[in-house]
Amino acid sequence: MRPVVPGLRRRARLRSAAGPIVVRRRPERPTQGLLSVDGRVIACALGKGGMSALKVEGDGVTPIGRFRPLAVLFRADRVAVPGGDLAVRAIRRDDGWADDPGSAHYNRHVRLPFAASHETLARDDHLYDVVVITDHNQAPRVRGRGSAVFLHCSRDGLLPTAGCIAVPYAVWRRLAAALVRDRPVLVGVAGRPVRRGDAGRPFFRGRRSAI
């Protein structure tokens, strides 16, 4: 199986049980959400198009669904290695992410320079100082259904994202061990737990929520 990003360093799984990260809409603020993790509730930025179950490339929407974090990347020249148990790697200058639906590498890590439309992960701003890659539109990848839906650092004032979920770096610094874990991310959905030992079954069975 192709790695989500080459060169990741695997880390030991944390032993304590980890419930999901839950993101719901923030009342009267459609481009912001409330992220709940381990009993804490944190304001977060959402896409400029708010939340929707229908995601189209470039629409600025944060997709509703149940996602799994795959890995964490970080800027070693700016921040310390994030805690947690996700596979980790420092961002390199040639790291990119393809966002052209016509590319065979759509919604995948690519090496720069890259001819088709893409994001550069080594940004001049601080949005990707810490970035968690999710499995949104990964298996299978569907062209035009959205790319590079990550968890990352927010702009000041929780300004809207292009579709990602973003929290202030101060939150990452304080709660990295909780956010950078192999645990479900439920966006705009609710679910009930099932036993972890049920082979082939999700940890949470999602259903659409009214939030």
Side-chain angles (χ1 to χ4, degrees), residues 33-125:
L34 295 173
L35 183 152
S36 301
V37 57
D38 294 345
R40 302 174 177 91
V41 179
I42 304 151
C44 62
L46 302 176
K48 60 187 177 182
M51 278 188 192
S52 176
L54 179 61
K55 173 68 181 171
V56 178
E57 184 65 44
D59 63 0
V61 160
T62 297
I64 288 172
R66 176 193 182 280
F67 308 109
R68 175 71 66 175
L70 301 176
V72 58
L73 304 179
F74 71 103
R75 286 293 295 269
D77 56 333
R78 297 176 177 175
V79 302
V81 180
D85 60 5
L86 292 178
V88 64
R89 203 201 77 183
I91 291 174
R92 302 167 183 162
R93 287 291 170 184
D94 63 350
D95 282 332
W97 201 270
D99 59 13
D100 179 359
S103 169
H105 301 283
Y106 178 62
N107 197 28
R108 278 184 175 169
H109 173 271
V110 293
R111 285 282 177 85
L112 306 182
F114 184 72
S117 179
H118 63 274
E119 282 198 52
T120 298
L121 300 188
R123 297 175 62 111
D124 292 332
D125 60 24

Side-chain angles (χ1 to χ4, degrees), residues 4-208:
V4 62
V5 175
L8 289 169
R9 176 169 61 86
R10 302 290 172 185
R11 297 193 282 186
R13 184 71 55 84
L14 296 176
R15 293 184 179 181
S16 58
I21 295 172
V22 178
V23 180
R24 67 183 192 276
R25 293 183 179 93
R26 190 173 184 181
E28 300 182 4
R29 300 190 185 186
T31 62
Q32 292 184 16
L34 295 173
L35 183 152
S36 301
V37 57
D38 294 345
R40 302 174 177 91
V41 179
I42 304 151
C44 62
L46 302 176
K48 60 187 177 182
M51 278 188 192
S52 176
L54 179 61
K55 173 68 181 171
V56 178
E57 184 65 44
D59 63 0
V61 160
T62 297
I64 288 172
R66 176 193 182 280
F67 308 109
R68 175 71 66 175
L70 301 176
V72 58
L73 304 179
F74 71 103
R75 286 293 295 269
D77 56 333
R78 297 176 177 175
V79 302
V81 180
D85 60 5
L86 292 178
V88 64
R89 203 201 77 183
I91 291 174
R92 302 167 183 162
R93 287 291 170 184
D94 63 350
D95 282 332
W97 201 270
D99 59 13
D100 179 359
S103 169
H105 301 283
Y106 178 62
N107 197 28
R108 278 184 175 169
H109 173 271
V110 293
R111 285 282 177 85
L112 306 182
F114 184 72
S117 179
H118 63 274
E119 282 198 52
T120 298
L121 300 188
R123 297 175 62 111
D124 292 332
D125 60 24
H126 294 277
L127 297 189
Y128 286 177
D129 281 6
V130 181
V131 55
V132 173
I133 298 168
T134 74
D135 67 352
H136 169 261
N137 197 26
Q138 289 276 352
R141 289 178 301 132
V142 179
R143 292 185 180 186
R145 289 297 185 185
S147 62
V149 176
F150 303 146
L151 278 72
H152 62 71
C153 301
S154 64
R155 294 183 172 87
D156 291 343
L158 294 179
L159 295 178
T161 71
C164 296
I165 298 164
V167 297
Y169 178 65
V171 173
W172 285 105
R173 198 168 50 207
R174 198 169 68 245
L175 297 178
L179 294 172
V180 184
R181 292 199 62 179
D182 183 10
R183 63 200 308 172
V185 180
L186 307 181
V187 182
V189 299
R192 66 179 181 82
V194 297
R195 296 191 308 274
R196 285 183 180 273
D198 289 344
R201 298 169 66 186
F203 179 53
F204 270 71
R205 293 197 185 100
R207 69 175 191 279
R208 188 69 51 77

